[in-house]
Amino acid sequence: MGSEKQGFIWLSGLLFLNILALSTAEVLYYEFFLQESQFTKLCSTKSILTVNGSFPGPEIRVRRGDTVFVNVHNQGNHAVSLKWEGVKDSIDGSNELIQPGRNFTYEIELEDEIGTLWWHATSAWAAATVHGAFVILPAANEDYPFPAPTSDQTIILGEWFREELTEANQTIAPGSADAYTINGHPGETYGCSNDTTYEMQVDYEGLYLVRVINAIANETMVFGVASHSFTIVGQSGAYSRRSFTNSLTLAPAQVVDVLLCANQNVGHYYITARPSSGAHITNGILRYTTTSSLI
């Protein structure tokens, strides 16, 4: 009887939180423009399909329980559809090919999803450059179930191909990438002096919620920051039991939310991402920007 009563109280509390979240929910609108854009990486320039001219694409940032409308305008050369990974209730439209010159509006009704999800093109080739984060913050009257972070940062692990991604090969899964990227930056390891390196700036003793997305189609990726450890607090749109690790191993399409405490000697530290197969490696920089009065 006691366990039944406790279960009832737990369910009642969860229902109460859901009602509170719904009472503060908002309706938000995003405009996505699919378009061809010129990017230079690995010392060569090519045209890629992007959303709003950026790689990775724009981040959607909402709160738990919100409703989101995303109006996608296809200004590219080929039909494209988008998928919203981990969203439970949406007019998904993933089977709705948006023809060039047309638009389609996706309706996404969030329920209990929380943390980090992501969106991407359904075509394997288009998804290499058409993807982005879908961040779901707690509702306005909710707190994190872990220490409140100083700020949060999204990191998307991506891939880059020297060849043109054309309509003829869009239905074929990509092969091995020529480079891997952190938020679109290949880093210093590919021998091209023009390549840029991703940099994350932190304050000493700051606590950061880092949202790591593996957007690479066919590779399990190992992610880490030199001399720093992680506390895992969420995965794929849900909070998780806290666990501790020095590195993350992410399967394709996997998302992990971690806390990172900037508690090392002030300086800069390498961020690394490499496939478990061992081919290639990309790097970024974690840079401390302030010092503590205790140092």
Side-chain angles (χ1 to χ4, degrees):
M1 188 70 177
S3 62
E4 291 179 359
K5 183 176 180 181
Q6 288 176 352
F8 174 76
I9 292 172
W10 182 84
L11 288 172
S12 298
L14 182 61
L15 178 61
F16 178 68
L17 286 175
N18 283 333
I19 291 172
L20 280 177
L22 289 173
S23 68
T24 61
E26 297 184 3
V27 178
L28 298 103
Y29 299 87
Y30 285 82
E31 298 286 336
F32 279 11
F33 294 89
L34 286 160
Q35 53 197 209
E36 297 287 333
S37 303
Q38 295 287 313
F39 276 78
T40 301
K41 298 185 189 300
L42 306 186
C43 292
S44 64
T45 300
K46 71 171 189 173
S47 179
I48 64 171
L49 186 64
T50 66
V51 172
N52 297 357
S54 66
F55 168 67
E59 179 175 282
I60 292 176
R61 181 167 285 249
V62 298
R63 292 190 179 275
R64 192 167 79 91
D66 286 348
T67 297
V68 188
F69 290 91
V70 184
N71 188 12
V72 180
H73 307 260
N74 189 355
Q75 299 176 346
N77 301 320
H78 311 294
V80 178
S81 61
L82 299 185
K83 181 173 178 60
W84 311 92
E85 287 285 353
V87 174
K88 298 173 184 175
D89 186 11
S90 68
I91 299 176
D92 185 278
S94 58
N95 295 321
E96 180 74 26
L97 279 175
I98 309 170
Q99 299 296 328
R102 305 296 296 272
N103 72 296
F104 180 82
T105 300
Y106 296 87
E107 179 182 352
I108 303 160
E109 294 185 1
L110 297 171
E111 296 178 349
D112 59 349
E113 298 94 339
I114 192 75
T116 313
L117 298 172
W118 68 300
W119 57 267
H120 59 86
T122 55
S123 154
W125 280 105
T129 56
V130 176
H131 58 254
F134 196 126
V135 173
I136 307 167
L137 302 171
N141 45 29
E142 293 179 337
D143 294 322
Y144 289 108
F146 45 79
T150 306
S151 66
D152 67 301
Q153 177 66 52
T154 301
I155 289 181
I156 299 180
L157 307 181
E159 55 192 335
W160 186 261
F161 298 87
R162 285 191 174 92
E163 67 179 299
E164 294 284 346
L165 307 184
T166 64
E167 182 182 24
N169 53 26
Q170 279 188 7
T171 59
I172 305 171
S176 297
D178 295 299
Y180 297 103
T181 60
I182 299 176
N183 285 356
H185 303 275
E188 306 168 346
T189 61
Y190 295 102
C192 179
S193 60
N194 294 327
D195 282 339
T196 55
T197 300
Y198 168 74
E199 184 170 305
M200 176 178 170
Q201 295 187 344
V202 297
D203 291 337
Y204 179 74
E205 294 185 335
L207 183 65
Y208 297 87
L209 176 56
V210 184
R211 310 170 186 276
V212 188
I213 301 168
N214 182 8
I216 298 166
N218 297 317
E219 287 284 4
T220 295
M221 298 296 289
V222 180
F223 174 84
V225 180
S227 302
H228 292 74
S229 59
F230 304 122
T231 303
I232 298 174
V233 294
Q235 295 194 50
S236 299
Y239 293 132
S240 65
R241 183 186 299 273
R242 281 185 242 179
S243 59
F244 307 94
T245 183
N246 292 323
S247 64
L248 301 176
T249 300
L250 298 98
Q254 187 177 1
V255 181
V256 179
D257 293 342
V258 300
L259 293 176
L260 180 148
C261 183
N263 56 4
Q264 299 301 306
N265 292 330
V266 172
H268 67 272
Y269 298 82
Y270 275 117
I271 302 169
T272 58
R274 59 175 177 81
S276 58
S277 64
H280 304 309
I281 186 171
T282 187
N283 72 287
I285 298 292
L286 180 81
R287 188 179 303 279
Y288 283 72
T289 59
T290 62
T291 60
S292 168
S293 60
L294 298 179
I295 295 181

